[in-house]
Amino acid sequence: MTQPPPPPNQPPQQPGFGPPQPPAAPGGPDLNKAPEPGYGYPQAPPAAPQTPAGPPAAPQEPGYGYPQAPQTPAAPPAAPQGPGYGYPQQPPAAAGYGYPGQPQQPAAYGQPGPYGQPGYGYPQPPTMPMQPQPGGGGKKFNAQAAIIVSAVAAIALIVGAGVWYASSSGKDDDKKTSAESGDGKNKTNGGGGEGGGGSSEAKEKAPADTGSKVLFQVPAPKTPKDVTTISTSGSWLTDTVYAKSGIAEIVGYDRAKGTEKWKIDLPGPVCEATHRVTEDNKTAITFKPAMPTKGNPQACTQVAVIDLEAGKELWTKTAKSGTTPVSFNNVTIGGGTVAAGSTSGGAAWDIASGEQLWAPKTSDSCYDSGYGGGEKLVAVRKCGSYDQRRLHIQNIDPKSGKVIAEYKMDEGIEYAAVVSTDPLVVAADVNESAGDGSGISDFFSIDNKTGKLRTRISAPGEEFGARCDGIYKLEKCSGLVVGDDRLYIATEEHEVGGESYSQTNEIVVFDLATGKQTGQRADAGDDYTIVPLRMDGGNLLAYKRPPYDKGGQIVSIDGGTFKQTTLMENPATETVRDVEARMSPEYSEILFSQGGLYMSDIYASDFSSASDEKEYLVIAFGTS
């Protein structure tokens, strides 16, 4: 699992990553047209990167992971701009890597790594688009870039809730295509988590022509004055609408044309958004009650339910811990209930009426830090002091909050992410042993009826490429999917044969009852990186991140034979590749259904760039 790039509070500066440019025409330029001179990858390598004067000081512990009082950060260090940055580096040896039958090695517990670095757990920007020379294909940072990234990441804890301020005043899938979980009362728009059962039929079929074209693109919005980076988290699909968060708004676009169908204006920006969508196309968000300013960052106190088909805000609620309004870190939907968690505890509302079902409890030493949704509702309840923390994974009644079953994790595990609620799977970094910032050293498969541990799966960071954010976004995982009582997980990239700069990876499968690999493996192919997206009936849908000279692909992997069928291949023109390369699967939102692929950014930035290339919030592809 790779080290995370810098947080969105300070996205990298590079060719193509700069301030949004005003569109030449509504919707931006036509990316299906031939590229204009200079658009795309640089034609000549720029100057060598400059090492920053020194990284900011790390925050004092205890208290890591808790919202901090916003402070005005120092000016960001200069971004690297030089030969070698993002170019393929010598990868580690990986003989026999990811192949079935390979003995599983336990994680090296007790060896703390970069997981505890400041900045981990905040929304992250995409990695810099790869610009390898012909014959390359590697996708790793070099050592000099890694130093700079670490320095930038250290700034993250001086900000809160996905907004970073300038240092000076001058500056659930749709009904017809979803892999429904359980009884179908909730569906998911992808991004990991549980999928459908093996008995349901796959809905996604290969078209006669798998070559795609750009359906539309949405220019990146400009941030408010004094705000350098701001969250645009949240994207969803219905039968007719692709909806995406902007700055203090949610816009519904026609899925095929990209024309605006509706817009919901909000008083402040969206903080968090669940990827889950109900059968009648409702979802939930948290947002700020006003636009942030350098002197008043605002808290994420508002919880709202949105009707994605009608384009309406159905209700907005708040909750208090004692007399203090709660600032929520996460939100989800499960069993007809909207639930939101925080360091002050959790609250829940009936999704139909908005009636509050429970409020944060302040009478004991435990609190609900967050929830996992779907057919079930699972609480991650924290108990004890910071240095003697114990997490309780609770399957709860979605209407009363009553505990149905509970699993107590070992003492000392500070954070856990809910990968799936049915079957119940939790990811955690035990003793911070992952050593790579991924938030995962082990998976815990739990019986959600009895609370007993079914099996524990070791997932060493040097072998597996998945990551989860158990600090705030408890359902935010990438590089893995749960379906058919199996865990589908991407391996780390490794070299292909003896070619030093040719990289690839695989998807391998674990049985959640036994904890053992099934022997199935889906290869990405030379210079591609394969990432599982969601289940489609008994099949697995995956995105193949391409090498520098090709377009990305969507493939369907048969749940039995593991045979891959290509459903889509994006254009290989330089202009399109450049935009697609910025939408990293780990730090962007990627949705696919009905022959449409929608890739979107999770933040907007006013960082300047030496390039005149246009920034995009969304790019959508479709097959005919």
Side-chain angles (χ1 to χ4, degrees):
M1 285 168 267
T2 55
Q3 184 73 16
N9 308 316
Q10 224 165 349
Q13 298 179 33
Q14 61 189 30
F17 258 91
Q21 304 297 324
D30 185 354
L31 297 185
N32 288 309
K33 292 183 179 179
E36 297 177 0
Y39 190 99
Y41 293 96
Q43 305 304 311
Q50 300 296 317
T51 304
Q60 300 297 312
E61 299 223 9
Y64 171 71
Y66 291 82
Q68 307 295 323
Q71 304 173 29
T72 303
Q81 300 177 1
Y85 190 85
Y87 282 71
Q89 304 299 314
Q90 183 69 25
Y97 177 79
Y99 283 73
Q102 180 182 5
Q104 299 302 304
Q105 299 297 325
Y109 298 134
Q111 301 298 320
Y115 175 75
Q117 289 179 348
Y120 179 76
Y122 283 79
Q124 307 290 335
T127 55
M128 293 195 177
M130 282 61 67
Q131 301 172 3
Q133 299 169 352
K139 302 173 183 177
K140 302 293 185 182
F141 286 127
N142 62 20
Q144 196 169 19
I147 294 172
I148 297 172
V149 167
S150 298
V152 174
I155 300 176
L157 285 185
I158 61 176
V159 302
V163 178
W164 189 67
Y165 298 92
S167 57
S168 67
S169 59
K171 285 287 134 235
D172 295 302
D173 298 306
D174 56 276
K175 298 184 187 71
K176 294 184 179 179
T177 60
S178 67
E180 297 173 358
S181 60
D183 62 6
K185 292 182 180 178
N186 293 277
K187 49 191 178 177
T188 174
N189 269 274
E194 67 266 38
S199 60
S200 57
E201 181 182 356
K203 308 288 178 60
E204 304 293 347
K205 307 297 182 182
D209 181 3
T210 58
S212 73
K213 65 177 182 178
V214 176
L215 298 177
F216 63 90
Q217 60 276 344
V218 178
K222 290 189 175 183
T223 61
K225 183 180 179 181
D226 297 335
V227 180
T228 301
T229 301
I230 200 164
S231 169
T232 56
S233 177
S235 59
W236 309 267
L237 283 171
T238 74
D239 285 339
T240 61
V241 172
Y242 169 74
K244 174 62 185 172
S245 295
I247 295 180
E249 66 180 14
I250 299 175
V251 180
Y253 302 93
D254 182 281
R255 283 184 53 143
K257 302 175 183 177
T259 53
E260 186 176 308
K261 299 189 71 170
W262 51 258
K263 183 169 73 171
I264 299 172
D265 291 316
L266 301 169
V270 172
C271 300
E272 298 296 339
T274 180
H275 61 279
R276 299 191 181 278
V277 179
T278 65
E279 278 299 301
D280 56 353
N281 296 312
K282 295 180 177 62
T283 193
I285 61 171
T286 65
F287 63 93
K288 296 172 182 285
M291 290 303 298
T293 63
K294 189 166 59 175
N296 186 3
Q298 299 292 332
C300 300
T301 56
Q302 313 295 300
V303 178
V305 165
I306 304 297
D307 186 324
L308 295 168
E309 194 65 34
K312 294 181 179 179
E313 181 181 341
L314 299 181
W315 53 255
T316 299
K317 302 291 181 179
T318 60
K320 291 184 177 181
S321 177
T323 59
T324 304
V326 174
S327 181
F328 292 104
N329 298 326
N330 52 75
V331 65
T332 193
I333 297 172
T337 293
V338 176
S342 75
T343 55
S344 300
W349 299 265
D350 179 77
I351 193 170
S353 66
E355 177 187 358
Q356 188 170 53
L357 302 175
W358 64 83
K361 300 181 179 71
T362 58
S363 59
D364 55 30
S365 61
C366 299
Y367 63 91
D368 290 356
S369 63
Y371 302 91
E375 181 188 359
K376 310 288 185 182
L377 188 62
V378 171
V380 176
R381 190 163 179 80
K382 288 191 174 187
C383 295
S385 60
Y386 178 83
D387 56 351
Q388 291 183 314
R389 185 79 71 210
R390 192 161 193 185
L391 300 184
H392 298 213
I393 309 301
Q394 300 175 332
N395 180 17
I396 61 176
D397 183 288
K399 296 305 178 185
S400 66
K402 180 181 178 181
V403 177
I404 298 170
E406 178 180 71
Y407 173 73
K408 295 181 181 180
M409 305 191 78
D410 292 341
E411 188 175 293
I413 300 175
E414 180 67 19
Y415 306 106
V418 180
V419 177
S420 168
T421 61
D422 190 21
L424 178 52
V425 181
V426 171
D429 188 357
V430 179
N431 296 326
E432 299 182 0
S433 57
D436 62 353
S438 65
I440 306 171
S441 67
D442 295 81
F443 293 95
F444 297 79
S445 175
I446 302 166
D447 189 313
N448 55 23
K449 294 181 180 178
T450 66
K452 293 182 179 180
L453 182 68
R454 300 173 68 197
T455 188
R456 176 170 167 174
I457 299 171
S458 176
E462 67 272 14
E463 293 184 25
F464 297 99
R467 59 184 304 107
C468 289
D469 179 2
I471 297 179
Y472 292 121
K473 302 181 179 183
L474 268 66
E475 291 187 298
K476 176 62 175 177
C477 292
S478 63
L480 57 85
V481 166
V482 168
D484 301 337
D485 208 32
R486 295 174 178 180
L487 170 66
Y488 300 84
I489 183 170
T491 67
E492 269 288 10
E493 292 182 66
H494 56 87
E495 67 181 28
V496 178
E499 298 181 23
S500 299
Y501 297 126
S502 187
Q503 298 264 312
T504 190
N505 79 323
E506 301 82 31
I507 293 174
V508 296
V509 188
F510 286 90
D511 187 302
L512 290 172
T514 66
K516 297 179 179 180
Q517 286 197 36
T518 65
Q520 296 166 304
R521 189 188 76 216
D523 297 312
D526 291 7
D527 291 331
Y528 283 89
T529 303
I530 191 167
V531 181
L533 294 179
R534 65 172 176 88
M535 297 301 293
D536 174 33
N539 294 347
L540 176 69
L541 297 181
Y543 172 70
K544 284 188 175 182
R545 188 168 174 84
Y548 76 98
D549 58 347
K550 295 181 180 179
Q553 297 178 354
I554 295 292
V555 296
S556 175
I557 303 171
D558 186 276
T561 66
F562 245 51
K563 177 184 177 182
Q564 296 185 39
T565 300
T566 301
L567 303 181
M568 171 183 286
E569 183 163 10
N570 292 336
T573 60
E574 188 176 42
T575 52
V576 176
R577 292 197 322 263
D578 182 70
V579 178
E580 183 177 3
R582 301 176 203 174
M583 302 295 182
S584 163
E586 294 89 348
Y587 309 108
S588 300
E589 295 167 341
I590 300 179
L591 304 178
F592 176 84
S593 78
Q594 299 182 33
L597 173 63
Y598 305 83
M599 310 178 77
S600 64
D601 218 335
I602 59 174
Y603 70 92
S605 168
D606 75 346
F607 275 94
S608 62
S609 170
S611 170
D612 292 330
E613 294 176 11
K614 189 169 184 61
E615 296 282 338
Y616 292 97
L617 178 66
V618 176
I619 184 168
F621 300 91
T623 54
S624 56

